[in-house]
Amino acid sequence: MDSEGIPAPVMIALEARAAGNSWKQSAEIAGVAVTSLREWRKHAIVRDTLNEMVRDKLAGATATLVDATPLLAKELISLAMDSRNKPYSRVNAMALVFQTVATHLIDQSQQEQMAELKQQLERLEAGAPIDV
């Protein structure tokens, strides 16, 4: 059992499930009956543990994608700029480059606006006058 009282085979099944296996596959990997695993899934601590495992997997996948972003951007630009590629491929790559830049600029602008609103809200809560 782990520190939360979840038996090791159930933890193995949860890890398998968080890795993308079905509940049946996860039970087989852990060597537990799928009916037993269904009973364990009713416990809040088991659901919370599984949710945490899934969040950890997603965070790891996101970090991997972020790390690859500069290389992907260079590859996308080279596809768009290479005249040996078919025109439709180049146009699609160019459109994606512009879309990505536009999305980034919009996100940046929204973050700045949110920061401004947060400052105004803090001043309002403190009783200070607000510039309109």
Side-chain angles (χ1 to χ4, degrees):
M1 288 198 177
D2 78 345
S3 62
E4 301 294 337
I6 302 172
V10 174
M11 287 297 291
I12 292 169
L14 294 177
E15 289 172 3
R17 179 65 181 154
N21 293 289
S22 70
W23 282 109
K24 184 178 177 183
Q25 292 168 327
S26 299
E28 290 171 2
I29 289 168
V32 297
V34 74
T35 54
S36 175
L37 193 54
R38 284 189 188 118
E39 289 300 314
W40 276 101
R41 286 177 17 205
K42 294 178 183 178
H43 297 281
I45 189 66
V46 171
R47 289 191 307 270
D48 292 345
T49 300
L50 176 60
N51 288 337
E52 184 178 330
M53 289 175 172
V54 169
R55 281 191 300 274
D56 288 347
K57 292 279 185 190
L58 288 172
T62 301
T64 301
L65 291 170
V66 169
D67 289 345
T69 300
L71 294 173
L72 293 172
K74 286 180 185 177
E75 182 67 20
L76 184 60
I77 291 168
S78 72
L79 287 172
M81 301 299 290
D82 190 346
S83 61
R84 294 174 295 176
N85 289 329
K86 301 279 186 193
Y88 64 86
S89 296
R90 294 181 66 210
V91 167
N92 285 340
M94 289 175 199
L96 188 54
V97 168
F98 285 117
Q99 179 184 355
T100 301
V101 170
T103 300
H104 173 74
L105 292 174
I106 290 169
D107 288 348
Q108 190 175 26
S109 173
Q110 288 176 343
Q111 286 177 0
E112 290 169 1
Q113 290 172 353
M114 289 295 291
E116 252 181 66
L117 288 172
K118 185 178 178 183
Q119 287 176 351
Q120 287 180 359
L121 182 60
E122 288 171 354
R123 285 194 298 267
L124 180 64
E125 288 175 346
I130 297 177
D131 294 333
V132 181

